[in-house]
Amino acid sequence: MRTAAAVASAASLALVLAACSGGGEGGDKGKGASKGSASASAAPDAKALSAAELEKLIVEQADLKGYQVQKAEAGDVVKPGDVSADKPACTPLAEAMSFIATGKPGASVQRKAIEMPKTEGATASPEDALGVLSAPVTSVTLGSYGGGGAQEALASLKTAGTECAGGFTLIGGGEKTKITKVAPETVTAGEEALAFTVTTDVEGEEWTSKLVAFRKGNTLASFSVISLGGKVKEQPKTVIDAQAAKLG
């Protein structure tokens, strides 16, 4: 339990326990660069949506079959400034891993989506029960920004992925968690996107999680996925696609 708590703290996913941590741009490089250009980005005078407006755009239970979707509670959400990194350039990654909308959003909302195993209930075997505990849990954060804030936030994540590839220390909740590697992945979503596999040293054991972010207009969606089994092998494609569809 101490190991699980350490990882949940690192990725701001203590919510897992309540319910039972360079970037690849969207598509190929050329496509990502084109979509991220000034002509395709949010208008300079764009205004941030309110939290009430974002609540209508974030994924809900009806959008995700096979998942349990819950609204993040106050204890699940870390306040901006309460999470940092020993290397300032890595703070955007620490924020995205911790249920925080990177940068300076006008408003943000959060959900947690837990992938449910097919076998549940009293007839489940011990192996099935272990599967429930190790099911991937995705924290979903939507942030809305004024002007070019969404582009700046995603750019800061891209820079952090490059400068922090060799690791950093995440500081939050009175704990220090050693991130040993941040490796880029490819993802296609929104107007521009990036993804990473994050490797964490948890009491001498190597745990892996996924981090994905994409921008649609002046809204940035980020997804941090962990498992109490210690290994997350795939991006939360179902969750990403459902969220992209809701953003239009």
Side-chain angles (χ1 to χ4, degrees):
M1 293 299 292
R2 190 156 55 95
T3 298
V7 173
S9 174
S12 187
L13 283 177
L15 55 94
V16 177
L17 300 177
C20 330
S21 144
E25 294 180 64
D28 54 56
K29 272 192 172 182
K31 183 177 179 181
S34 174
K35 287 190 174 183
S37 65
S39 61
S41 60
D45 59 348
K47 294 183 179 180
L49 299 176
S50 67
E53 290 172 314
L54 286 177
E55 284 287 349
K56 298 177 182 179
L57 295 175
I58 197 165
V59 287
E60 298 288 2
Q61 186 66 63
D63 305 310
L64 288 168
K65 293 182 179 179
Y67 283 78
Q68 182 184 76
V69 181
Q70 303 172 5
K71 186 172 183 178
E73 299 177 359
D76 297 330
V77 182
V78 182
K79 295 180 181 179
D82 286 352
V83 170
S84 62
D86 61 335
K87 303 174 185 177
C90 305
T91 295
L93 287 174
E95 291 176 336
M97 291 172 63
S98 305
F99 242 157
I100 298 173
T102 303
K104 297 181 179 179
S108 64
V109 295
Q110 295 85 10
R111 290 292 186 275
K112 48 192 178 184
I114 305 155
E115 187 175 348
M116 303 306 294
K118 293 181 180 180
T119 304
E120 302 178 45
T123 59
S125 67
E127 290 77 13
D128 292 329
L130 181 60
V132 172
L133 290 174
S134 62
V137 178
T138 302
S139 65
V140 184
T141 303
L142 285 189
S144 184
Y145 303 73
Q151 294 95 317
E152 293 170 3
L154 193 66
S156 72
L157 283 170
K158 181 179 180 181
T159 298
T162 299
E163 297 192 12
C164 308
F168 64 96
T169 298
L170 187 153
I171 304 168
E175 299 286 341
K176 291 185 178 181
T177 303
K178 181 63 177 177
I179 310 301
T180 58
K181 184 178 180 181
V182 179
E185 290 192 357
T186 298
V187 64
T188 301
E191 295 174 61
E192 53 180 337
L194 50 76
F196 306 103
T197 292
V198 180
T199 304
T200 305
D201 182 343
V202 180
E203 298 181 353
E205 295 185 15
E206 187 176 89
W207 287 43
T208 57
S209 59
K210 300 291 184 181
L211 182 62
V212 179
F214 74 82
R215 180 183 66 81
K216 177 67 176 182
N218 65 329
T219 299
L220 186 67
S222 59
F223 311 81
S224 180
V225 194
I226 72 163
S227 164
L228 291 185
K231 304 289 183 182
V232 176
K233 298 180 180 179
E234 300 177 347
Q235 295 174 13
K237 188 177 186 304
T238 300
V239 182
I240 293 169
D241 289 348
Q243 184 59 76
K246 292 203 75 169
L247 290 176

